[in-house]
Amino acid sequence: MKGRHYIGLLALLLAGLTLSQGSPFQQRLQQAIQSGGSKFAEAMKQDPDQALCSQYRDKIPAALVGAFLERQRALIKYPADGKLMGDWKQGEALFTNPRKGNCYACHTGDPKEPGAGTMGPGLVNYGQRGTSEAVVKYTYDKIYNAWASMPCSLMYRAGYHGILTPEETAHVTAFLLDPASPVNAKR
Amino acid sequence: MRDRSLWIGFLLALGLGLSIALTQTQELDPYKEAERQRELFRQTAGILPGELYAAQGEELFYAKRGPKNTSLEACDFGLGPGKLEGALTQLPRYFPDTRRVEDLETRIRSCMINLQGFRPEQITREDIKALTAFVASKSSEMPINVVPKTSQEIAMYNLGRELWFHRAGDRDMNCAICHDAYAGGKVRLSPVRSPRQGLSNEWPAYRFEADKLYTLQDRIAFCYESVGIHPPEFYSEPYIALSMYMLAEATRGKNNFTEMPGFTR
């Protein structure tokens, strides 16, 4: 009798946890990840929204999008001085540095830079949008946390992960928007 | 004699002309650049680096080695002991003797342990790579034929698919967001292919940009590294699972292996 009660409870638990960490499949997955060693296992730990993206194969249901975007927007931080456009020259270095922005792995910025990738949209002449407050903020936010405007996008959350500080994010913003930047050079 | 030097002169001039012509396009087409580098090796060395690795592996394969002083000729890659023709095309698969799903590298290691009596820590990565190149060379240009059938193989495929979609790390990466969603694009100069398009069909391969032989495990490790995730330890399940997923998908896409070992950037 007691045993049956226990099994019933276990079944309930299993049903509730099927899609979360506790399901047998998730346990098996964790076991496989652990077999790769502790450093790999550590690096493969997910935050809740990374896990959500994985669960829905990078296409989260419409009903979850609003809350997702809100959570991501709340993560954006701004420079202390409030200036969202910094120095485009420093921005250029961050844009091309593989250990920092690494932006040109996917985007063309300065068209003279050889070997830019084509995974993301080309950004040549991005500055033709002008430098209104709305454009600057949109650009800054996109660089700081790409998931705040597009859930589970390939573009990673550079600011959220601390790869770019708020000041550095402002530099990259300037590289894209400053009329003097090679991105916007008259051609 | 004079004819010959004229002939060589002609070839040199042709080669120079070709390389000048090709330098113009090398930024644009990495496949053509690989082809050009391959031809340069053929011309200057007469042999491809991948073939050297395979020759070294062949020597290791037939040599009596290890505490049991045995060759690897009795190693069963799934087609019967010592059957190497096409062995790579049907790996990974489940092996009842080790009760594991194993890829080529892991299977070679198991045979070195079980047949030759090596202890795991005595087995060098270099030996495994050379042996992998040798066994793979017997599957050159053959159709990939990985179809998960046993419960263990199906479970491994499912794990691989889950890892494929597992987003993690500071770059918020998984395999799918590039290789499925943006297949056909380029990361820097590297063309991105999906598993169905035959991703994984060129490994093991000599990478001229690194001047090293990369097995499929090496290549997966390089992928993890480049997105800031510390790669798994060699021969661990994440490699087997991802290989199983990619090669099963490549099978569905009716892909062949390239020449084996491959030659790529």
Side-chain angles (χ1 to χ4, degrees):
Chain A
M1 222 25 218
K2 209 177 166 191
R4 193 188 288 173
H5 184 75
Y6 184 71
I7 289 170
L9 202 76
L10 203 78
L12 257 177
L13 255 171
L14 274 180
L17 293 175
T18 307
L19 287 172
S20 70
Q21 297 298 311
S23 79
F25 181 70
Q26 283 296 330
Q27 284 177 17
R28 180 66 186 87
L29 178 68
Q30 286 309 315
Q31 188 193 337
I33 290 174
Q34 295 294 334
S35 81
S38 58
K39 283 183 177 166
F40 174 68
E42 186 59 34
M44 288 290 272
K45 281 190 179 156
Q46 296 177 302
D47 72 22
D49 281 333
Q50 286 178 331
L52 205 64
C53 291
S54 301
Q55 184 186 334
Y56 290 107
R57 306 316 195 206
D58 301 316
K59 294 177 204 70
I60 62 172
L64 299 180
V65 169
F68 185 103
L69 293 175
E70 209 155 299
R71 278 196 303 279
Q72 294 302 321
R73 262 184 234 124
L75 296 170
I76 302 180
K77 295 197 172 98
Y78 297 96
D81 63 7
K83 284 171 68 179
L84 303 191
M85 246 175 85
D87 169 12
W88 70 261
K89 282 186 183 152
Q90 290 186 59
E92 180 171 36
L94 294 161
F95 189 92
T96 52
N97 183 343
R99 297 192 170 279
K100 296 294 280 183
N102 195 30
C103 313
Y104 88 119
C106 297
H107 300 279
T108 313
D110 178 354
K112 285 189 187 131
E113 178 78 36
T118 62
M119 302 295 272
L123 299 172
V124 178
N125 287 327
Y126 183 87
Q128 66 190 327
R129 290 159 176 78
T131 53
S132 70
E133 200 179 316
V135 165
V136 173
K137 183 170 182 303
Y138 170 82
T139 307
Y140 179 97
D141 286 358
K142 184 80 180 175
I143 298 164
Y144 191 93
N145 187 351
W147 286 11
S149 47
M150 201 188 290
C152 314
S153 67
L154 163 56
M155 186 162 159
Y156 72 101
R157 298 168 292 170
Y160 164 66
H161 287 297
I163 291 175
L164 299 177
T165 64
E167 290 71 23
E168 288 172 333
T169 306
H171 295 326
V172 180
T173 305
F175 178 58
L176 294 183
L177 285 174
D178 196 316
S181 155
V183 168
N184 304 315
K186 288 236 159 43
R187 274 171 279 269
Chain B
M1 199 56 205
R2 186 146 169 260
D3 270 7
R4 204 176 147 191
S5 53
L6 264 176
W7 183 232
I8 289 172
F10 171 73
L11 275 183
L12 276 174
L14 186 74
L16 189 69
L18 262 178
S19 51
I20 288 169
L22 286 169
T23 330
Q24 312 292 322
T25 55
Q26 79 183 64
E27 290 283 9
L28 301 175
D29 193 337
Y31 291 111
K32 281 192 181 143
E33 172 61 6
E35 190 55 32
R36 187 180 77 96
Q37 293 283 348
R38 188 179 171 283
E39 278 320 299
L40 291 175
F41 268 107
R42 275 268 182 253
Q43 284 167 21
T44 52
I47 187 168
L48 298 178
E51 294 168 340
L52 280 176
Y53 279 101
Q56 197 189 330
E58 182 170 14
E59 232 177 275
L60 286 170
F61 192 86
Y62 293 105
K64 291 193 162 88
R65 301 175 72 222
K68 294 187 186 166
N69 197 36
T70 331
S71 78
L72 286 169
E73 283 162 278
C75 189
D76 185 347
F77 292 97
L79 302 173
K83 287 246 163 41
L84 303 182
E85 211 66 35
L88 175 65
T89 63
Q90 40 94 61
L91 291 170
R93 66 176 289 156
Y94 177 75
F95 290 94
D97 59 349
T98 56
R99 298 172 68 193
R100 285 186 60 181
V101 178
E102 296 180 306
D103 64 357
L104 178 54
E105 305 166 56
T106 310
R107 187 60 185 166
I108 289 169
R109 184 168 173 269
S110 292
C111 285
M112 290 176 78
I113 293 167
N114 298 329
L115 295 177
Q116 297 184 309
F118 282 111
R119 279 179 281 119
E121 64 273 18
Q122 291 175 309
I123 298 171
T124 68
R125 188 75 194 134
E126 284 312 302
D127 282 3
I128 296 281
K129 285 165 78 158
L131 284 160
T132 301
F134 167 60
V135 179
S137 73
K138 305 289 180 190
S139 298
S140 210
E141 295 178 10
M142 288 185 186
I144 304 173
N145 186 25
V146 176
V147 182
K149 286 190 197 84
T150 70
S151 60
Q152 299 90 340
E153 288 164 358
I154 291 164
M156 198 54 82
Y157 172 88
N158 288 333
L159 283 174
R161 187 175 54 191
E162 203 60 29
L163 288 168
W164 183 259
F165 285 100
H166 187 94
R167 296 198 78 157
D170 287 352
R171 305 273 172 180
D172 288 316
M173 273 297 175
N174 66 15
C175 315
I177 196 69
C178 280
H179 285 282
D180 291 333
Y182 291 88
K186 281 182 187 176
V187 176
R188 297 273 164 80
L189 291 172
S190 294
V192 174
R193 288 191 296 164
S194 72
R196 291 264 174 134
Q197 292 170 340
L199 174 73
S200 71
N201 75 342
E202 53 190 354
W203 311 100
Y206 172 76
R207 284 189 56 217
F208 64 84
E209 284 186 353
D211 185 26
K212 272 185 194 141
L213 185 91
Y214 274 56
T215 65
L216 185 52
Q217 290 198 14
D218 291 318
R219 187 60 189 84
I220 294 169
F222 182 57
C223 247
Y224 273 122
E225 257 168 37
S226 56
V227 300
I229 291 179
H230 192 284
E233 286 162 18
F234 286 119
Y235 320 114
S236 64
E237 280 190 318
Y239 290 114
I240 318 283
L242 281 169
S243 305
M244 178 63 108
Y245 176 73
M246 289 190 287
L247 288 161
E249 290 298 308
T251 302
R252 284 181 181 161
K254 301 196 189 311
N255 291 280
N256 285 25
F257 279 106
T258 62
E259 80 176 328
M260 282 285 123
F263 186 101
T264 188
R265 64 196 298 268

